[in-house]
Amino acid sequence: KEAGLAPLWNSTQLVGSRRVSPAEVRLVTRIPGDVSEKLGIYGDRDIDRIAAALLGVVLASMLSSVAALQFLPGPGLFRFCVVWLLAFMPYIFLTVGLNLPDTLQS
């Protein structure tokens, strides 16, 4: 390597990550009580509930789309629009969840 020039690649050594205990976080942040609850670190129940709701919306969307395509009377364009709307229900659910999270959590 030439003297005086900074190398472009591999210029730093990356340090591996390590687990941090709640006691260490409490010591560093000086938060009394349960640190993980106050910081919202362990939200496993909320994640499981939201994942189950999303799975339910996806399955209901799939089944209702197939049923609407098979059994809905009318012209093909109308059935296509209904199936298209039903197929995009999971995306609508995610959009509402990102924009209005308090509504879905109640």
Side-chain angles (χ1 to χ4, degrees):
K1 297 182 181 181
E2 298 178 23
L5 295 176
L8 183 61
W9 307 107
N10 296 327
S11 61
T12 61
Q13 294 292 330
L14 297 177
V15 179
S17 63
R18 65 177 180 87
R19 288 195 163 277
V20 178
S21 69
E24 188 176 354
V25 174
R26 188 179 314 114
L27 179 69
V28 171
T29 60
R30 297 181 183 169
I31 296 176
D34 188 13
V35 178
S36 59
E37 182 181 334
K38 291 184 180 178
L39 293 178
I41 295 173
Y42 302 116
D44 292 338
R45 288 185 308 197
D46 294 335
I47 292 172
D48 290 342
R49 235 180 22 213
I50 291 172
L54 180 61
L55 179 65
V57 168
V58 167
L59 290 177
S61 173
M62 288 170 41
L63 293 175
S64 60
S65 295
V66 170
L69 184 63
Q70 294 294 321
F71 302 114
L72 195 65
L77 181 62
F78 175 70
R79 286 195 315 245
F80 172 77
C81 291
V82 170
V83 169
W84 185 83
L85 180 68
L86 290 172
F88 274 90
M89 280 299 165
Y91 297 110
I92 294 169
F93 177 78
L94 289 175
T95 302
V96 169
L98 290 173
N99 291 326
L100 305 170
D102 295 334
T103 305
L104 292 178
Q105 289 179 357
S106 61

